[in-house]
Amino acid sequence: MSTIRDVAKLAGVSTTTVSHVLNKTRFVSEGGKAKVEAAVIELNYVPNTIARSLKGGSSRVLGMLITDANNPFYADLIQWVDQVAYRYGYNLILCNTQGSIERAKDYMVMLNQRRVDGMLMMSSDARQLPVSSYGTMPMVMMDSGPEQAGYDRILDDSEQGGYMATKHLLASGHRSIGLLAGPLDKSNSQNRIAGYRRAMAEAYAEVDERWIQSGEFTYEGGAEAMSKLLDQPSSVTAIFASNDLMVMGAIRVAGKQGLTIPHDLSIIGYDDIPGAKYFNPPLTTMSQPLEQLAEQAIAMLLARIETPEREGQRTLLPPTLVIRDSVAVRKPVEK
């Protein structure tokens, strides 16, 4: 197996120069860099990142903990995070908890043992993990992590998103607006509910508490919440769903009951997943700035790695409204 000394000898440079090229820690002339890279390829040299981290250096590896990699929203975000990390010379270890707290704990142990340079946490499971399980690694929370942990946080402004979505339905002439909320123990669900209530209150629109039904952020969760909503004696003309997957389940239930979107029922989602524009009809939804989220999260994490003692930062990224065809303009009822 080739060593860093073999690479240095073949390239005609010092081992220090090889290290700087591989770790991108100091400027090396283009000629020297090309010689090192050519030697690495010829010798098929693979740096021992674990050994390097044990010596106190950088592993050039970041961890990312997420709840469900199958969710199109997460899948899209992961691609952006991976692109940004790669651009900065880091590899990404992805840990999919699938909603299991035990898996989340095991992954945290593994990442600490691997001595990853830092951690991105975009998992609602973080709120149930003991802070002690985080160890001392630099970390950025990209979801509803515990405030008291003192880590950097970059979040979607879910309260403003819920407000904007409901305001759009109100501006389209709807007053009886239902809400398919996510799980009530998740802060982003509560924030979107708060935004919905604020918009309804500003418009002096009555909220029947039976119009607010919760479910998981899944197709099944949306279907179950929609079934409960449509079973209520007072009907709605429009619905704000807390994510796009819930919309898909809700539309299926509506179709089974003979309701068409948006003729009989308008609906707006949240996340703007890649398939949202291919819904039938194309879905009006709230879009989260995933590229900006990935860029800022990595930038915050690298700053934390560089200066571990700095004060925790908190950033809210505003969502944007994407108007398509799932919301109909409702004419005022003549008196």
Side-chain angles (χ1 to χ4, degrees), residues 70-312:
N70 291 322
N71 184 321
F73 170 77
Y74 283 118
D76 210 20
L77 177 62
I78 290 165
Q79 290 189 53
W80 281 114
V81 170
D82 186 56
Q83 285 184 39
V84 177
Y86 181 79
R87 191 190 329 135
Y88 281 100
Y90 283 86
N91 293 313
L92 188 69
I93 295 179
L94 181 65
C95 302
N96 182 11
T97 70
Q98 297 182 356
S100 166
I101 301 303
E102 290 307 312
R103 286 187 66 152
K105 290 178 180 177
D106 289 342
Y107 281 136
M108 292 303 295
V109 171
M110 179 272 290
L111 291 169
N112 274 293
Q113 290 176 343
R114 288 288 300 270
R115 299 186 181 233
V116 299
D117 288 344
M119 176 76 185
L120 297 171
M121 178 81 77
M122 188 156 196
S123 171
S124 55
D125 309 318
R127 303 187 71 193
Q128 302 179 53
L129 282 171
V131 175
S132 59
S133 68
Y134 299 156
T136 58
M137 76 173 73
M139 188 175 300
V140 171
M141 299 288 183
M142 301 173 69
D143 203 341
S144 50
E147 294 275 1
Q148 70 273 20
Y151 294 101
D152 296 317
R153 299 162 59 80
I154 180 167
L155 308 168
D156 163 61
D157 192 346
S158 289
E159 197 275 342
Q160 181 65 14
Y163 173 79
M164 292 170 64
T166 309
K167 284 279 287 185
H168 179 67
L169 294 174
L170 289 164
S172 299
H174 299 276
R175 304 285 291 182
S176 301
I177 301 172
L179 171 61
L180 304 184
L184 298 181
D185 63 339
K186 299 189 186 305
S187 62
N188 51 3
S189 297
Q190 291 293 343
N191 290 338
R192 288 168 196 175
I193 293 172
Y196 160 83
R197 290 188 182 279
R198 176 160 68 95
M200 294 291 278
E202 283 185 4
Y204 299 100
E206 180 183 356
V207 175
D208 186 328
E209 294 302 318
R210 294 171 296 185
W211 290 347
I212 302 176
Q213 298 293 335
S214 67
E216 296 296 322
F217 284 131
T218 61
Y219 310 114
E220 295 81 6
E224 291 170 6
M226 184 68 158
S227 296
K228 294 175 184 177
L229 177 58
L230 295 181
D231 282 344
Q232 303 306 318
S234 55
S235 60
V236 299
T237 64
I239 291 172
F240 164 42
S242 289
N243 84 345
D244 292 348
L245 295 188
M246 296 183 80
V247 171
M248 294 183 70
I251 289 177
R252 181 172 176 79
V253 170
K256 286 184 175 180
Q257 297 197 22
L259 301 173
T260 60
I261 310 295
H263 182 265
D264 300 308
L265 195 62
S266 292
I267 193 164
I268 185 170
Y270 208 106
D271 285 342
D272 193 25
I273 62 175
K277 60 186 175 183
Y278 299 108
F279 281 28
N280 185 22
L283 181 65
T284 294
T285 184
M286 300 304 302
S287 175
Q288 298 191 51
L290 297 189
E291 183 176 3
Q292 184 183 359
L293 177 60
E295 291 279 1
Q296 291 201 20
I298 293 290
M300 290 173 77
L301 184 55
L302 296 183
R304 172 64 60 184
I305 292 170
E306 183 70 21
T307 314
E309 68 278 5
R310 75 189 187 101
E311 291 187 10

Side-chain angles (χ1 to χ4, degrees), residues 31-80:
K33 182 179 177 182
K35 289 178 181 178
V36 170
E37 291 175 343
V40 166
I41 293 172
E42 183 174 338
L43 295 173
N44 195 27
Y45 172 68
V46 179
N48 189 338
T49 56
I50 295 178
R52 190 160 66 234
S53 67
L54 290 172
K55 294 177 182 177
S58 169
S59 67
R60 308 301 294 182
V61 176
L62 303 177
M64 185 174 185
L65 197 72
I66 64 166
T67 300
D68 182 9
N70 291 322
N71 184 321
F73 170 77
Y74 283 118
D76 210 20
L77 177 62
I78 290 165
Q79 290 189 53
W80 281 114

